[in-house]
Amino acid sequence: MAASPGPAGGAAAGAVHGSGPFGLAFDSGLEIKTRSVEQTLLPLVSQITTLINHKDNTKKSDKTLQAIQRVGQAVNLAVGRFVKVGEAIANENWDLKEEINIACIEAKQAGETIAALTDMSSLNRPESDGQITIFTDKTGVIKAARLLLSSVTKVLLLADRVVIKQIIRSRNKVLATMERLEKVNNFQEFVQIFSQFGNEMVEFAHLTGDRQNDLKDEKKKAKMAAARAVLEKCTMMLLTASKTCLRHPNCESAHKNKEGVFDRMKVALDKVIEIVTECKPNGETDISSISIFTGIKEFKMNIESLRENLYFQSKETLSAMLDALLERTEDFTDCAYTSHEHRERILELSAQARMELQQLISVWIEAQRKKTKSIDEELELAILKISHSLNELKKELHSTAVQLAADLVKYHADHVVLKALKLTGVEGNLEGLAEYACKLSEQKERLVETCRLLRHVSGTEPLEITCIHAEETFQVTGQQIISAAETLTLHPSSKIAKENLDVFCEAWESQISDMLTLLREISDVFEGRRGEKYGYLSLPKPMEQAKIAKLGLKLGLLTSDANCEIEKWEDQENEVVRYGRNMSSMAYSLYLFTRGEGPIKTSQDLIHQLEVFAEEGLKLASSVQAFSKQLKDDDKLMLLLEINKLVPLCHQLQAVTKTPLQNQVFLKVDKSITKTRCIMATSVQLLSLCYKLLKKIQMENNRWVSVTNKDSVDGKT
């Protein structure tokens, strides 16, 4: 569980008896409705806390009485809404139904009690002399508020268990479909299973996205974001890698490439479950060593504690801490890419820190023997000197790592090696493949090592997680690019093998681009700016980003469906195919935008792309209409019905792009992506229907030719 219930009474008592709101934070992945009711309850019970703490001699004016009554009624109404949601959850989860219903009954009772005790409507009437109110029974209000907090907490924790079960069930469905995808050897069957897989991945993305937003622990949130990013990118890789295997079933490198994608997705799925359940498989523990910056922070806290307590820890402990800390700087000094100047400076500062610790220990021992003002001053000076040396070491390490990474990203910004691999692939040049595969491996090792150095200087746990994610991505994607390039080199005329290599190269380029953002954030933290997010220039709120990202994932999957339909056509220059391909390509760029990637950087870029996309949709409708003239009435009608769905959607998208922003950027992007998704879904249907009708025409023509030829032969006979 993400949160431990603990004794219900203890936490509640402290919260209600104090003067502030609830002191609880839930790691609860609840539905939006549940969360909003929870947020409504918290400030209301806080107001009740204020009422409980009022002075008995406070003047009971009509205004005060009305305020008390309004708060009581508002709490009761909010509790009622909360209970309805709780009961709905209970009805859908029979194993927890009894527990949730009991907690809901308790919450309802508490709400009604608070409403009754704050009912001031008849207080000034003569018959109200014996009425029990907040003024006569403060203890009753405290008990009701405690019961309310306790019961609400129970419902939230039980609902949290429900969400965890939903995520686990969703993961299991995804895994089961992945197993079917691994074994399939028929293209048509693969398309059907992948469509199901896409829907299941969308459901999983929704559940885990909500969970990520609800997590309070920034480290867990970063881990969840990394795992979800892997799954999202691998979904596209899985499509092309599997199609390549189906097209070239005897190609060893194609199978190796596909297996790499499946393995990485399974690891990411396990990581998500590990985060939501807080359970590592087989009781494993996190064995990753702490970063140098974290080690320096802990060491400085320990030496600074000597100001308060000279006997807080032993000299041996401090010496061991510094030794372990400086041992990790060997990652920098042993790195082949660290400059001579940086290496010498790091070694110099490390030796200085060791020397100053010995000086500190000498003064420390002296201070334990006798307490004088001069000794205290010497101790303070020794603490300041070693702190200064460690700060200088931090600066040097930060400068070394960031400079290495910046130079590396700049040097590889033009992606020369990737372009060369693509070229050797389409040329079928095995010697060239070996040469550039070796160069990519060297580039990969250098990037991996640089990510390790950046992790040491990242400054926060979430950025450490991002560095680890980048390291793993370069490590895995580098190998997969080489296997994809080998497949293309062995089959240089294969369109799907070329497309597959392109997808893996795009993932590599995207990670290189992400490194620039990572470097900026690390520098922001180091300089005290705490790092701004650069991904969404027009969508500043995290919740908005999350919603747009969900819409984008569906759009990305629809582009895959469109590509599958397009691949069926023998004539790839057909107008219908050409416009469909253009729309799929533009929709993919829009999908990348929702992730903060790709060529669309600003709102203006987005609007322009949407306008062009809508125009291509109208061109597709026009070309399909021209094709419909070859059809019989029934088939023609069926096709025209689909066209009549597409054209209005394109016009609606054009209208959305022309609507003034008026500080409503998110709403405009939300509407635009939603409309684009509808257009793509309709286009996929059109492409599929056109292909079936074209095949039907061809079969009828072949039958007519066959009959004509037979009649001709019979005539001659």
Side-chain angles (χ1 to χ4, degrees):
M1 284 292 297
S4 175
V16 173
H17 212 58
S19 60
F22 292 173
L24 293 181
F26 298 102
D27 273 5
S28 51
L30 304 173
E31 292 180 5
I32 303 271
K33 198 193 293 184
T34 315
R35 197 183 303 115
S36 66
V37 177
E38 175 199 353
Q39 290 164 351
T40 306
L41 281 169
L42 298 185
L44 289 170
V45 178
S46 174
Q47 290 178 51
I48 290 175
T49 305
T50 306
L51 294 173
I52 289 167
N53 292 331
H54 77 88
K55 294 179 181 177
D56 290 331
N57 59 2
T58 303
K59 187 180 177 183
K60 299 165 188 160
S61 66
D62 287 345
K63 194 173 181 182
T64 303
L65 297 177
Q66 287 170 10
I68 291 170
Q69 184 164 327
R70 276 200 305 273
V71 171
Q73 288 172 346
V75 168
N76 195 27
L77 285 170
V79 170
R81 290 196 296 272
F82 186 86
V83 165
K84 279 184 180 177
V85 176
E87 287 171 346
I89 293 171
N91 289 333
E92 292 170 6
N93 298 272
W94 287 89
D95 53 333
L96 298 173
K97 185 172 182 177
E98 188 177 352
E99 289 180 80
I100 295 175
N101 281 340
I102 291 169
C104 286
I105 290 166
E106 288 176 355
K108 194 174 180 182
Q109 287 172 348
E112 289 170 352
T113 302
I114 289 169
L117 290 171
T118 54
D119 183 4
M120 305 296 164
S121 57
S122 59
L123 196 63
N124 293 324
R125 296 176 194 165
E127 65 270 19
S128 66
D129 289 347
Q131 183 181 343
I132 299 172
T133 68
I134 189 170
F135 297 112
T136 60
D137 187 12
K138 190 181 288 188
T139 306
V141 179
I142 291 171
K143 284 182 179 177
R146 285 178 182 172
L147 179 62
L148 177 57
L149 176 58
S150 171
S151 53
V152 166
T153 303
K154 283 179 192 172
V155 174
L156 292 174
L157 291 170
L158 290 166
D160 196 48
R161 282 165 59 185
V162 169
V163 173
I164 290 171
K165 282 169 60 183
Q166 284 178 339
I167 292 173
I168 292 170
R169 275 200 301 268
S170 180
R171 188 280 304 257
N172 291 342
K173 279 163 63 180
V174 168
L175 273 177
T177 309
M178 278 176 67
E179 283 182 22
R180 291 174 63 202
L181 281 172
E182 277 187 282
K183 295 171 184 172
V184 72
N185 51 21
N186 173 281
F187 185 76
Q188 199 62 39
E189 189 183 349
F190 169 79
V191 170
Q192 291 170 353
I193 299 171
F194 188 82
S195 177
Q196 179 190 335
F197 173 72
N199 292 331
E200 289 168 355
M201 282 299 292
V202 167
E203 179 195 351
F204 189 72
H206 281 196
L207 291 170
T208 54
D210 289 340
R211 186 69 179 182
Q212 183 181 321
N213 288 330
D214 289 329
L215 289 169
K216 301 294 185 290
D217 185 320
E218 290 299 320
K219 186 176 180 180
K220 286 183 194 172
K221 190 174 278 193
K223 284 184 175 180
M224 179 71 90
R228 292 178 72 241
V230 169
L231 291 170
E232 189 173 341
K233 288 191 176 180
C234 282
T235 300
M236 295 300 170
M237 294 174 181
L238 184 143
L239 175 65
T240 56
S242 298
K243 282 160 64 179
T244 305
C245 265
L246 288 168
R247 190 65 52 87
H248 309 289
N250 300 320
C251 182
E252 188 181 335
S253 57
H255 283 281
K256 183 181 175 184
N257 181 256
K258 178 182 130 181
E259 285 163 13
V261 179
F262 276 96
D263 290 346
R264 196 168 188 218
M265 288 191 81
K266 287 171 186 174
V267 169
L269 287 165
D270 288 343
K271 181 63 71 178
V272 169
I273 300 305
E274 179 188 311
I275 295 162
V276 298
T277 61
E278 294 192 339
C279 294
K280 285 187 174 287
N282 306 319
E284 294 172 16
T285 55
D286 193 349
I287 56 170
S288 59
S289 62
I290 63 170
S291 69
I292 295 174
F293 272 27
T294 304
I296 288 175
K297 184 180 176 182
E298 290 178 2
F299 181 80
K300 284 173 68 178
M301 284 171 62
N302 276 278
I303 60 170
E304 285 166 4
S305 69
L306 295 175
R307 291 171 176 143
E308 306 297 328
N309 187 347
L310 293 171
Y311 303 94
F312 181 67
Q313 58 202 324
S314 68
K315 292 86 182 167
E316 293 76 19
T317 301
L318 273 185
S319 295
M321 280 185 75
L322 186 65
D323 285 342
L325 172 65
L326 296 179
E327 187 180 331
R328 287 196 285 279
T329 63
E330 291 173 7
D331 287 351
F332 288 78
T333 55
D334 292 349
C335 176
Y337 312 112
T338 303
S339 70
H340 177 71
E341 292 78 10
H342 281 305
R343 185 178 290 108
E344 289 299 309
R345 182 66 177 148
I346 292 167
L347 291 170
E348 179 189 328
L349 288 167
S350 299
Q352 190 174 327
R354 281 197 172 93
M355 183 182 69
E356 283 170 354
L357 178 61
Q358 292 308 311
Q359 180 62 29
L360 173 64
I361 289 172
S362 298
V363 178
W364 181 10
I365 293 168
E366 189 67 21
Q368 286 177 328
R369 286 188 192 144
K370 54 182 179 180
K371 185 77 174 171
T372 65
K373 187 179 179 182
S374 62
I375 286 293
D376 286 348
E377 288 173 353
E378 282 186 50
L379 182 64
E380 180 64 22
L381 183 60
I383 290 171
L384 290 174
K385 283 176 75 175
I386 192 168
S387 293
H388 176 72
S389 289
L390 290 173
N391 285 340
E392 288 299 305
L393 179 61
K394 275 181 69 175
K395 285 181 188 175
E396 193 61 34
L397 295 172
H398 175 268
S399 172
T400 304
V402 169
Q403 188 177 324
L404 269 174
D407 290 346
L408 192 57
V409 170
K410 186 178 178 183
Y411 182 73
H412 292 298
D414 53 2
H415 307 294
V416 171
V417 176
L418 297 186
K419 289 172 184 174
L421 277 171
K422 290 178 184 180
L423 188 61
T424 56
V426 294
E427 290 174 348
N429 182 353
L430 288 169
E431 287 182 9
L433 170 69
E435 178 189 344
Y436 287 107
C438 184
K439 286 185 177 180
L440 185 69
S441 294
E442 289 171 7
Q443 184 180 329
K444 178 198 73 177
E445 290 306 320
R446 191 167 178 181
L447 283 162
V448 164
E449 192 158 0
T450 303
C451 289
R452 286 175 190 154
L453 299 186
L454 284 173
R455 181 184 164 231
H456 279 304
V457 303
S458 55
T460 68
E461 285 189 324
L463 286 177
E464 274 192 55
I465 302 300
T466 307
C467 291
I468 292 167
H469 169 67
E471 179 187 333
E472 290 172 352
T473 300
F474 284 126
Q475 189 73 267
V476 175
T477 311
Q479 292 296 332
Q480 289 177 312
I481 287 173
I482 291 169
S483 59
E486 186 180 338
T487 305
L488 178 58
T489 309
L490 294 170
H491 307 278
S493 60
S494 172
K495 286 183 180 178
I496 183 55
K498 184 179 181 300
E499 182 190 345
N500 188 46
L501 177 57
D502 286 341
V503 167
F504 284 98
C505 288
E506 281 170 18
W508 181 276
E509 290 167 14
S510 172
Q511 191 57 55
I512 291 280
S513 177
D514 288 346
M515 287 286 284
L516 290 171
T517 304
L518 178 60
L519 285 174
R520 283 197 296 261
E521 293 187 345
I522 288 172
S523 294
D524 283 347
V525 170
F526 185 75
E527 292 163 18
R529 294 196 300 267
R530 301 304 299 170
E532 300 169 9
K533 297 291 179 185
Y534 295 87
Y536 284 83
L537 301 179
S538 306
L539 304 172
K541 296 177 183 175
M543 287 295 285
E544 291 179 2
Q545 294 180 16
K547 186 174 180 185
I548 293 297
K550 285 179 191 175
L551 290 172
L553 178 59
K554 294 177 183 177
L555 185 60
L557 291 167
L558 279 168
T559 64
S560 300
D561 292 342
N563 291 338
C564 285
E565 290 299 332
I566 288 165
E567 283 220 345
K568 295 177 185 175
W569 292 66
E570 291 170 12
D571 180 8
Q572 288 290 306
E573 295 307 313
N574 184 293
E575 267 198 351
V576 173
V577 173
R578 196 166 68 249
Y579 292 131
R581 191 188 298 112
N582 291 347
M583 290 177 72
S584 178
S585 175
M586 283 185 270
Y588 188 72
S589 293
L590 291 166
Y591 153 70
L592 290 177
F593 167 77
T594 64
R595 291 176 43 79
E597 300 172 5
I600 304 173
K601 301 294 183 188
T602 65
S603 301
Q604 200 55 47
D605 292 344
L606 174 66
I607 290 166
H608 175 69
Q609 181 78 308
L610 290 167
E611 287 171 346
V612 177
F613 179 81
E615 287 170 12
E616 288 295 300
L618 291 171
K619 287 177 184 176
L620 174 65
S622 178
S623 61
V624 171
Q625 194 152 15
F627 167 69
S628 70
K629 293 174 183 176
Q630 304 174 39
L631 305 173
K632 293 179 180 176
D633 287 348
D634 289 347
D635 291 341
K636 186 175 183 178
L637 179 61
M638 186 165 48
L639 199 56
L640 290 175
L641 286 172
E642 290 299 321
I643 295 169
N644 288 339
K645 291 179 191 174
L646 179 61
V647 172
L649 285 170
C650 292
H651 288 315
Q652 287 164 20
L653 180 58
Q654 287 176 328
V656 171
T657 60
K658 289 177 174 61
T659 307
L661 283 173
Q662 295 175 338
N663 298 322
Q664 297 291 317
V665 176
F666 166 69
L667 289 175
K668 186 162 184 174
V669 173
D670 181 38
K671 283 182 181 176
S672 300
I673 300 297
T674 303
K675 287 289 177 211
T676 305
R677 230 180 66 215
C678 294
I679 290 171
M680 277 306 296
T682 308
S683 300
V684 170
Q685 293 292 332
L686 263 178
L687 288 165
S688 176
L689 185 56
C690 284
Y691 177 74
K692 287 173 186 172
L693 294 173
L694 180 65
K695 283 291 177 188
K696 186 177 178 182
I697 291 171
Q698 289 172 347
M699 284 175 65
E700 286 174 354
N701 287 345
N702 290 341
R703 195 180 302 118
W704 184 83
V705 169
S706 175
V707 169
T708 305
N709 288 343
K710 184 176 182 299
D711 289 346
S712 176
V713 170
D714 289 347
K716 285 178 182 177
T717 304

